Amino acid sequence: MNLIELVQDHLSDQLLDNLGQQIGSDRKQTQAAATGALSTIVAALSKNAARPGGLDALVSAVDRDHDGSILDDAMGFLTGQKQAANARMTNGSGILKHVLGKKRDNAADVIGRMSGLDKDKTAVLMAQLAPLIMGALGKARHQQGMGVEGIGELLTSTVKSETNRRQEMSLLSQFLDKDDDGSVMDDLVNMGMKAFFRRRRRR
């Protein structure tokens, strides 16, 4: 199972167009930024889960706020047509704050430079997509019976799989590790202009 592909399976053309309309971008830009955002958030979750107590904290958040139901109607939740019973389930800004911390603005900057979106629009898109990733973890946890260690393995295997296919995933991990992000950001932009525009779906 690949967590990024699981989320991408729910990003229909109609949903991408709708998200693009909300932030003022075309589908190509939205798709590119979405791919970058998903990769960044999953890499950060994997990094956090590898720290002492990190995996338990993540699974506790999943058990408390993310049952996977957001994926049953991603369009409804992301467009505001459907309201979550638990507001934390769709609080993308709060999720990003916990997952990326002070890296959040830099991440929005580099993904925006790759996709052609400005930083503010990219930040909005990241906040919209973050609940889908947590929802995918919740679905694996609650609906597929995945244990705590299984969640950790899902994150690790997703990052490994993506790194094997796309070198920029490795650079994202370096970016998340470093305090001085300048050179890594430049490398990501240079190589990501092509790679992040490649639309991939599980068939």
Side-chain angles (χ1 to χ4, degrees), residues 15-103:
L15 178 54
L16 286 169
D17 287 343
N18 190 288
L19 294 175
Q21 289 170 8
Q22 291 183 45
I23 61 176
S25 68
D26 60 30
R27 185 188 298 173
K28 186 176 182 180
Q29 286 181 317
T30 305
Q31 173 66 39
T35 301
L38 294 175
S39 298
T40 301
I41 296 168
V42 170
L45 283 169
S46 182
K47 289 285 183 185
N48 294 346
R51 296 171 182 151
L55 180 57
D56 287 335
L58 172 61
V59 173
S60 292
V62 169
D63 287 345
R64 183 180 63 247
D65 300 324
H66 305 281
D67 60 5
S69 60
I70 191 172
L71 297 180
D72 296 334
D73 187 4
M75 174 71 81
F77 283 114
L78 293 187
T79 60
Q81 296 173 6
K82 187 170 184 177
Q83 298 299 314
N86 180 351
R88 289 189 297 269
M89 187 176 84
T90 54
N91 183 9
S93 295
I95 294 169
L96 291 178
K97 182 178 180 180
H98 285 291
V99 173
L100 287 168
K102 66 180 182 180
K103 301 278 187 180

Side-chain angles (χ1 to χ4, degrees), residues 5-191:
E5 291 182 347
L6 180 60
V7 175
Q8 287 178 323
D9 284 346
H10 292 82
L11 295 180
S12 65
D13 289 343
Q14 182 182 6
L15 178 54
L16 286 169
D17 287 343
N18 190 288
L19 294 175
Q21 289 170 8
Q22 291 183 45
I23 61 176
S25 68
D26 60 30
R27 185 188 298 173
K28 186 176 182 180
Q29 286 181 317
T30 305
Q31 173 66 39
T35 301
L38 294 175
S39 298
T40 301
I41 296 168
V42 170
L45 283 169
S46 182
K47 289 285 183 185
N48 294 346
R51 296 171 182 151
L55 180 57
D56 287 335
L58 172 61
V59 173
S60 292
V62 169
D63 287 345
R64 183 180 63 247
D65 300 324
H66 305 281
D67 60 5
S69 60
I70 191 172
L71 297 180
D72 296 334
D73 187 4
M75 174 71 81
F77 283 114
L78 293 187
T79 60
Q81 296 173 6
K82 187 170 184 177
Q83 298 299 314
N86 180 351
R88 289 189 297 269
M89 187 176 84
T90 54
N91 183 9
S93 295
I95 294 169
L96 291 178
K97 182 178 180 180
H98 285 291
V99 173
L100 287 168
K102 66 180 182 180
K103 301 278 187 180
R104 181 173 43 174
D105 288 343
N106 281 345
D109 183 27
V110 70
I111 295 166
R113 288 161 63 188
M114 288 177 183
S115 62
L117 292 181
D118 66 38
K119 179 179 177 180
D120 291 340
K121 291 179 179 179
T122 302
V124 171
L125 184 63
M126 290 175 67
Q128 290 171 316
L129 295 175
L132 295 185
I133 296 175
M134 296 300 291
L137 288 173
K139 188 172 185 178
R141 172 77 166 153
H142 296 291
Q143 299 180 20
Q144 299 180 26
M146 188 171 288
V148 174
E149 295 302 321
I151 294 294
E153 291 170 4
L154 173 59
L155 289 166
T156 300
S157 64
T158 296
V159 172
K160 183 177 179 180
S161 174
E162 293 295 300
T163 300
N164 288 338
R165 289 189 290 183
R166 302 188 294 122
Q167 188 181 355
E168 66 271 16
M169 192 67 174
S170 177
L171 285 172
L172 279 171
S173 295
Q174 294 179 44
F175 160 72
L176 293 168
D177 278 339
K178 290 179 178 292
D179 291 327
D180 179 8
D181 304 313
S183 61
V184 176
M185 288 174 67
D186 289 340
D187 289 341
L188 275 165
V189 171
N190 289 337
M191 74 184 314

